[in-house]
Amino acid sequence: MSSGTGHHVRGVPTGPLDRVLLVWDAPNMDMSLGSLLGARPTSAYRPRFDAVGRWLLDLAGPDAEAEACVFTNVAPGSIEIVRPWVEALRNVGFAVFAKPKTSEDSDVDDDMLAHIDLRAGEGKLRHVVVASGDGRAFKEPLEKLVDTATDVTVIGFREYAGFALASEVISFLDLEDIDGVFREPLPRVSLDTLPDEGAWLPPFRSLRSLLDRR
């Protein structure tokens, strides 16, 4: 994360750098990816955050500070499972905001918005990138941010980011279109992307799971 010390041109201080901020909604992105796959993602279908980081640095260019943050909930009993993932993120250069999941209503949306507001209040926020498909939480605040001359991009999955695709002021980028984010192409056959010859849409769960619901 930035030290905020600014930079100099020929010995003349020019103030703090503009900031390009990524906030990643881990609960929402995990849920969207699981829904897309119809199963828990294997390693081949988990996003590579080093590729996301390189993309963000390219977006920021040499004249802006890139800041990448992942926001996540930690459910009771899952600390040892989550810890290696959190440490890997921090090693890549991401900050992690972790919050205990104390109830079904525990989420990180308000924490993400608070951090965006904090950076916006510093007056140097050039571009905000939000990784989430949660239009209920983010559509209105992000569209208001555009009114302050801050660029806004949503990254995620087109199947679950209708609010961004429909917005006239928010840009959208499908996560799979970022180079190197996934080791293998996602199996994304949907009603929106049917080939001319047709395609099978596999079940999300075994038919036998019906017997478990009685």
Side-chain angles (χ1 to χ4, degrees):
M1 294 173 61
S2 168
S3 62
T5 55
H7 66 309
H8 294 73
V9 177
R10 295 183 180 177
V12 179
T14 57
L17 292 170
D18 286 351
R19 185 178 297 268
V20 174
L21 172 66
L22 165 67
V23 290
W24 183 287
D25 183 351
N28 181 271
M29 294 294 281
D30 289 351
M31 181 178 65
S32 297
L33 183 57
S35 296
L36 188 69
L37 299 173
R40 192 172 185 85
T42 62
S43 59
Y45 297 135
R46 290 192 182 279
R48 293 176 58 102
F49 283 91
D50 56 337
V52 176
R54 282 190 291 270
W55 172 82
L56 187 71
L57 288 167
D58 185 59
L59 181 68
D63 299 325
E65 186 72 32
E67 177 186 358
C69 311
V70 171
F71 290 73
T72 190
N73 286 123
V74 181
S78 69
I79 291 176
E80 294 309 313
I81 298 172
V82 173
R83 192 192 310 277
W85 175 70
V86 169
E87 291 179 352
L89 284 169
R90 295 171 70 189
N91 277 325
V92 170
F94 282 64
V96 178
F97 178 88
K99 182 177 182 178
K101 187 166 184 61
T102 55
S103 71
E104 283 300 313
D105 295 329
S106 296
D107 59 39
V108 291
D109 297 345
D110 289 343
D111 304 289
M112 293 172 65
L113 290 168
H115 191 61
I116 293 171
D117 286 344
L118 173 68
R119 293 304 187 213
E122 295 170 354
K124 287 287 185 177
L125 190 57
R126 179 197 296 179
H127 199 145
V128 170
V129 180
V130 175
S132 180
D134 189 347
R136 183 178 58 181
F138 295 108
K139 181 179 187 294
E140 185 176 342
L142 293 182
E143 290 187 338
K144 286 182 177 178
L145 200 58
V146 174
D147 293 336
T148 67
T150 298
D151 291 332
V152 174
T153 299
V154 168
I155 59 175
F157 305 104
R158 58 182 178 270
E159 294 88 344
Y160 303 106
F163 84 97
L165 289 164
S167 174
E168 295 181 358
V169 295
I170 297 172
S171 300
F172 175 76
L173 179 65
D174 195 283
L175 189 61
E176 197 171 9
D177 291 335
I178 297 176
D179 188 45
V181 168
F182 293 102
R183 292 181 176 87
E184 297 179 13
L186 297 177
R188 298 180 73 166
V189 177
S190 71
L191 297 179
D192 300 313
T193 59
L194 288 174
D196 291 342
E197 66 273 18
W200 284 99
L201 304 174
F204 286 143
R205 56 179 60 87
S206 166
L207 189 62
R208 285 195 170 274
S209 66
L210 292 171
L211 300 177
D212 299 329
R213 298 185 196 177
R214 292 186 302 181

